[in-house]
Amino acid sequence: MYPTAFLSSLLLLGGASASELEYRQASTITVDLSRTFQTMDGFGASEAFQRAVTMKRLAEDQQRKFLDLMFSTTKGAGLTILRNGIGSSVDMRDDWMVSIQPRNPGGPSATPNYVWDGSDNGQVWVSQEAVKTYGLKTIYANAWSAPGYMKTNNNDANGGSLCGVSGASCSSGDWKQAFANYLVQYVKFYQQEGVEITHLGFLNEPDYTTSYASMRSSGTQAQDFIRVLRPTLDRNNMTHIIINCCDTMGWSVMNSMLNQMRSVEDSMGVATGHAYTSGPSSPLSTRHKTWMTEAADNNGAWTSSWYSNGGAGEGLTWANNIYGAIVNGNVSAYLYWVGAQDRPSNTNSKMIRVVNRQVEPSKRLWAFANWSRFVRPGAVRVSTSGAPSNVRTSAFRNVDGTVAVQIINNNSGSARTISVNIATAGAGSSFVAAADGVAAWVTDGSRDCDQIAATLDASGRTMSASVPPRSMVSFVLRPAGSKTIA
Ligand SMILES: *[C@@H]1O[C@H](CO)[C@@H](O)[C@H](O)[C@H]1NC(C)=O
Ligand SMILES: *[C@@H]1O[C@H](CO)[C@@H](O)[C@H](O)[C@H]1NC(C)=O
Ligand SMILES: *[C@@H]1O[C@H](CO)[C@@H](O)[C@H](O)[C@H]1NC(C)=O
Ligand SMILES: *[C@@H]1O[C@H](CO)[C@@H](O)[C@H](O)[C@H]1NC(C)=O
């Protein structure tokens, strides 16, 4: 413990009982800026499978409310990643995503016959708003499948594999190059619309066969395709586009795929996995950044509760899920499944629902907000220690120099004073907060990220605030000499 923190802890102790003393003594959390971990890319969600279409049908004020809730850092979650679905279907029946080449052009070497409707299943609208109105910089375009005629089962749904990868030969020929060209064309259509796709994925849940767009792939088969896709992107002046792979159904199965893909490791950008069959409780074995690209409570009945009984759809649960993925799973991004939708479904598969044409957020969205507003792209996670039991802490240094600290208190009972001390030792530890440079926000059952009192000691390195039970508190410290707080 450092002298200043020790002093402020002592000051807090006057008149307390022995057990309270023990409890309060444990409540100084140390942030060590010299011990760094992963760099963050952000937080996000998707409007794929025509969720975007349904949101665009709403009245203009409700469209704006939806977009604000998703992307605004003052009125909503401030999400920084949008995951779009690259369509593979022949039309837009049900919630299918129509392909940019719905019909077979006549074989893998035939002249392509691309079609662009300027909407891309409603996603062009959301993308343009995200980028132009809210300054979002990261668009992840992700194919659930290749069009059916490029696959062994001649159907974009029900599994099947891309013709031409190992163990998947088709009488129609090898479609690897044609599929790579197709993905490049999709990126070009978005460029025409003024939207730069930054990350490109060609698989979604390749370990799962289902009645909607789905395509099977092993790691070896993904490797076969990356060997074609990377040079195709590069030849098309798309060297900056990062290849994401493989959006497996669960996190741990992604390790098995990665083990079959070592020879294309240099061509891959981000290793991606979902959190359904297993969650990101430990890092993937890769040197690349990793993203948890899809999680949701797909079965629970809609709830907008912050905390009721620790249920799968509650806000505090998601604040904790995000925490675990970042701190234990080493992820650089965390994405919910659907952002918002107006479709007849009463589950928690989305963060925002529509009731009688009115947009309504859940506390899941606000759990994301409590992370995404303060931990901005480029933030580097730094170490924390000393959290009392049932309290989870994490900290980040943002690109603008601010330090953001998250405290998730899963204890019931009464509020506790928690001090956060920035350690002095080690490289990059020269941080001193401006005298007026500390702020804290609380979210619990009754408060919606209300600003609460936080004090800074004379050293500029120790701040304290009262942390209520079952809450998430975010501290932000602004360094001396800077003007704005994150
Ligand atoms: C290559 O891509 C960059 C960035 O997207 C763009 O600025 C540039 O104009 C492109 N050049 C050509 C020849 O297309
Ligand atoms: C965490 O991810 C980074 C890449 O973002 C990687 O360099 C680092 O080795 C990973 N850490 C662990 C413990 O796997
Ligand atoms: C928080 O505590 C409740 C019980 O009080 C428990 O049901 C829930 O699983 C806990 N959440 C976490 C993330 O530990
Ligand atoms: C944090 O979550 C609460 C809801 O639990 C929400 O009202 C509040 O606005 C969120 N904070 C931020 C900064 O978005």
Side-chain angles (χ1 to χ4, degrees):
M1 192 183 279
Y2 295 89
T4 51
F6 183 60
L7 192 64
S8 59
S9 307
L10 279 182
L11 291 175
L12 289 169
L13 301 182
S17 73
S19 62
E20 274 173 353
L21 282 184
E22 195 177 80
Y23 172 79
R24 290 182 189 177
Q25 275 170 335
S27 300
T28 293
I29 288 156
T30 300
V31 174
D32 184 349
L33 297 177
S34 70
R35 287 194 59 212
T36 58
F37 303 100
Q38 77 269 34
T39 299
M40 297 302 293
D41 288 324
F43 302 86
S46 183
E47 292 296 315
F49 284 87
Q50 294 191 49
R51 271 54 178 177
V53 172
T54 68
M55 298 312 288
K56 193 151 193 260
R57 288 196 194 113
L58 298 175
E60 254 177 57
D61 66 320
Q62 294 303 304
Q63 289 182 13
R64 184 55 53 199
K65 186 173 177 193
F66 148 63
L67 293 165
D68 279 347
L69 283 171
M70 294 275 286
F71 304 116
S72 166
T73 52
T74 53
K75 296 176 185 162
L79 299 179
T80 46
I81 301 176
L82 178 64
R83 175 175 176 234
N84 285 339
I86 303 175
S88 52
S89 301
V90 290
D91 58 31
M92 290 177 69
R93 222 172 305 165
D94 192 17
D95 62 358
W96 297 1
M97 295 185 285
V98 68
S99 163
I100 58 164
Q101 188 175 246
R103 304 285 157 202
N104 187 342
S109 320
T111 306
N113 185 19
Y114 301 123
V115 187
W116 184 238
D117 62 8
S119 154
D120 190 34
N121 304 289
Q123 297 173 117
V124 168
W125 168 61
V126 180
S127 305
Q128 287 178 333
E129 281 287 344
V131 169
K132 290 177 188 164
T133 309
Y134 303 90
L136 179 139
K137 292 188 175 61
T138 305
I139 305 255
Y140 172 24
N142 188 191
W144 263 243
S145 175
Y149 52 81
M150 297 188 185
K151 293 169 64 187
T152 51
N153 63 338
N154 200 31
N155 185 344
D156 78 314
N158 299 317
S161 305
L162 179 65
C163 297
V165 298
S166 307
S169 62
C170 304
S171 55
S172 62
D174 178 343
W175 286 84
K176 292 194 300 293
Q177 185 62 56
F179 187 41
N181 296 343
Y182 171 97
L183 295 172
V184 161
Q185 184 57 44
Y186 181 89
V187 172
K188 286 182 180 168
F189 283 140
Y190 268 76
Q191 287 174 338
Q192 283 173 24
E193 306 291 345
V195 173
E196 280 294 336
I197 287 165
T198 54
H199 295 73
L200 185 63
F202 57 96
L203 293 173
N204 173 75
E205 299 179 356
D207 46 338
Y208 181 60
T209 298
T210 183
S211 61
Y212 53 82
S214 53
M215 182 164 82
R216 305 290 304 208
S217 177
S218 65
T220 308
Q221 291 171 326
Q223 172 167 281
D224 292 342
F225 185 63
I226 289 174
R227 284 206 178 101
V228 176
L229 179 59
R230 186 69 263 171
T232 306
L233 288 166
D234 295 348
R235 275 198 307 276
N236 282 275
N237 187 28
M238 294 179 183
T239 51
H240 58 287
I241 293 188
I242 291 170
I243 297 179
N244 283 10
C245 198
C246 307
D247 281 75
T248 43
M249 185 79 162
W251 190 250
S252 56
V253 68
M254 186 56 196
N255 275 323
S256 331
M257 286 193 78
L258 283 166
N259 280 335
Q260 299 175 330
M261 297 169 70
R262 297 294 171 202
S263 76
V264 290
E265 192 127 26
D266 286 344
S267 302
M268 261 190 70
V270 176
T272 54
H274 297 176
Y276 295 118
T277 47
S278 65
S281 53
S282 59
L284 291 177
S285 58
T286 175
R287 59 183 163 80
H288 290 298
K289 279 184 175 171
T290 62
W291 289 8
M292 198 304 296
T293 42
E294 192 183 313
D297 171 23
N298 281 324
N299 302 311
W302 174 266
T303 176
S304 49
S305 148
W306 171 253
Y307 177 82
S308 145
N309 57 16
E314 295 173 10
L316 183 58
T317 300
W318 285 90
N320 274 297
N321 290 347
I322 296 170
Y323 172 90
I326 293 174
V327 174
N328 304 322
N330 196 31
V331 307
S332 290
Y334 193 96
L335 282 70
Y336 204 76
W337 166 213
V338 175
Q341 73 176 43
D342 183 8
R343 290 178 65 84
S345 144
N346 195 30
T347 71
N348 295 318
S349 62
K350 59 267 174 199
M351 297 194 285
I352 301 168
R353 70 172 177 179
V354 179
V355 179
N356 298 327
R357 305 186 66 75
Q358 300 293 306
V359 165
E360 187 187 301
S362 64
K363 293 280 191 181
R364 293 181 294 288
L365 181 89
W366 293 117
F368 269 75
N370 282 295
W371 286 96
S372 187
R373 279 196 195 182
F374 306 112
V375 180
R376 305 299 294 169
V380 176
R381 188 166 77 81
V382 295
S383 93
T384 60
S385 56
S389 66
N390 283 326
V391 173
R392 294 178 174 81
T393 62
S394 52
F396 299 83
R397 189 170 216 167
N398 278 302
V399 172
D400 68 1
T402 56
V403 174
V405 183
Q406 297 72 35
I407 298 176
I408 303 176
N409 182 13
N410 196 32
N411 288 295
S412 55
S414 55
R416 57 185 57 191
T417 298
I418 291 189
S419 299
V420 174
N421 172 251
I422 311 275
T424 47
S429 294
S430 59
F431 187 94
V432 174
D436 62 346
V438 55
W441 292 265
V442 68
T443 294
D444 60 10
S446 60
R447 281 169 296 185
D448 286 348
C449 208
D450 293 358
Q451 195 154 355
I452 52 170
T455 56
L456 185 68
D457 76 348
S459 74
R461 302 178 78 98
T462 303
M463 62 181 166
S464 308
S466 172
V467 174
R470 309 270 197 220
S471 73
M472 176 162 178
V473 167
S474 301
F475 283 109
V476 177
L477 288 110
R478 171 171 53 85
S482 70
K483 288 196 174 56
T484 52
I485 201 147

